[in-house]
Amino acid sequence: MADLIPPSGRVHWIGTGLSTGSGLGLVCAETTTVLWGRTVARAESCLARLGLLGQAEPRAYDPDSLTHQLAPGDVVVSMLPADHHPALARIALANSAHLVCSSYVSPGLAAHATAAAERGCVLLTEVGLDPGIDHLLAHHLVDAARGAVGDRPAVAHFGSYCGSNPAVPNAFRYQFSWAPRGVLTALLTPARTIQGGLPRRFARPWEAVDQLTVAGETFETYPNRDSLPFVATYGLPATWRLESFARGTLRLAGWSEAWKPVFAELAEADEARLTALAARLAARYPTTADDHDRVVMSVRLSVHTDDGEDWSGEWTLDATGDAREAATPRLVSVPLACAVLEVVAGRVPPGLHQATDDPEAVRGWLTFLATHGVTATFHGDGEV
């Protein structure tokens, strides 16, 4: 691994959609920031929406323009869809710059991991809400459990669930804000979990709906993507036999019943029908200016050792949007800002990373979040 290319203190934030929230202001306050939008006008509009006019330079984005503006040590922040990240990584690495994004690691982005490490560049991923905050909470639970019971042979149960839903439930138990097609596409993405100690695959995740009680309230959950690689990501000891392990989406009680007609269409939908269905549902159940979102997250771990010792813990987060800002963009952009500032400060080593697994860094990131109004509550054995 090469030495870290010293960060320059200049940040290029790419994307002005609704997920670009108040975290951008935290970055602007500590760095020289360029906000790249589809047009200069869109970048200016985003800055005005966030009360940041004059605090970042608005630019019209295209890959060539970004290439000509990048200098060694600059940080590129992508709020573009995940399929843009491999190309952005190529641009960043070619200019000895670093890249930060909130999305999952794609195979195309992972292909740049070796080059990043060899060139002294950071590729910091999965640092939003989910993935992002959930990773920090999971690492804390595993670290706390290992501190309490060690790596003795044990049976373990792990579950991590998050969802953004209407603060005031409607009959449909959901409202669409942005990327309505993405919501439906996620339901068509096969998922894998561990149940009963064995891997389980679900071609249609909505057929694996379960109930989950969080702080006395009952929700519905379903598995999201492939959970199994995160066993290694979270560093669970090989001596712990996983009875259950799942990462998934959390919905309001009654969601699966309300969505039965949607599931019936999804089962038969081709690309055109999927696009039409998304447009129809978004028009029928939109998020208006009077509506507020509510984000609920639960990350829990329990361990029972073979010699009879038990440990359990759960982190919960429950945040509601208000007239100033929706909860979801705040909970995506604030941890993203924390990650960007960690890179700017030179505290992230070269190479590809999924948030952070360093216990001291996890505590530092959680402190940053709490300082800026993103708080989670711990319930369980021991103290935090």
Side-chain angles (χ1 to χ4, degrees), residues 35-83:
L35 178 63
W36 298 80
R38 193 169 298 171
T39 63
V40 171
R42 287 180 71 97
E44 290 175 337
S45 177
C46 177
L47 291 172
R49 168 172 63 85
L50 296 170
L52 297 174
L53 280 174
Q55 298 185 43
E57 180 184 352
R59 293 270 180 120
Y61 173 73
D62 68 73
D64 288 340
S65 295
L66 175 65
T67 298
H68 289 123
Q69 288 296 316
L70 279 180
D74 284 2
V75 178
V76 176
V77 181
S78 176
M79 299 300 283
L80 300 180
D83 57 357

Side-chain angles (χ1 to χ4, degrees), residues 189-266:
T189 302
R192 283 204 308 165
T193 66
I194 294 175
Q195 290 186 4
L198 298 173
R200 291 283 307 276
R201 183 181 185 276
F202 302 94
R204 298 174 176 177
W206 69 81
E207 294 178 350
V209 170
D210 203 353
Q211 290 190 334
L212 181 73
T213 300
V214 181
E217 184 176 353
T218 300
F219 296 90
E220 295 183 351
T221 64
Y222 60 89
N224 181 27
R225 298 174 176 255
D226 186 354
S227 298
L228 271 61
F230 291 91
V231 174
T233 300
Y234 296 155
L236 278 80
T239 49
W240 292 1
R241 302 182 303 280
L242 287 172
E243 181 68 14
S244 63
F245 186 96
R247 300 178 72 257
T249 301
L250 181 148
R251 294 288 179 237
L252 298 174
W255 171 82
S256 58
E257 181 65 28
W259 276 56
K260 278 185 176 179
V262 178
F263 301 151
E265 285 201 57
L266 285 178

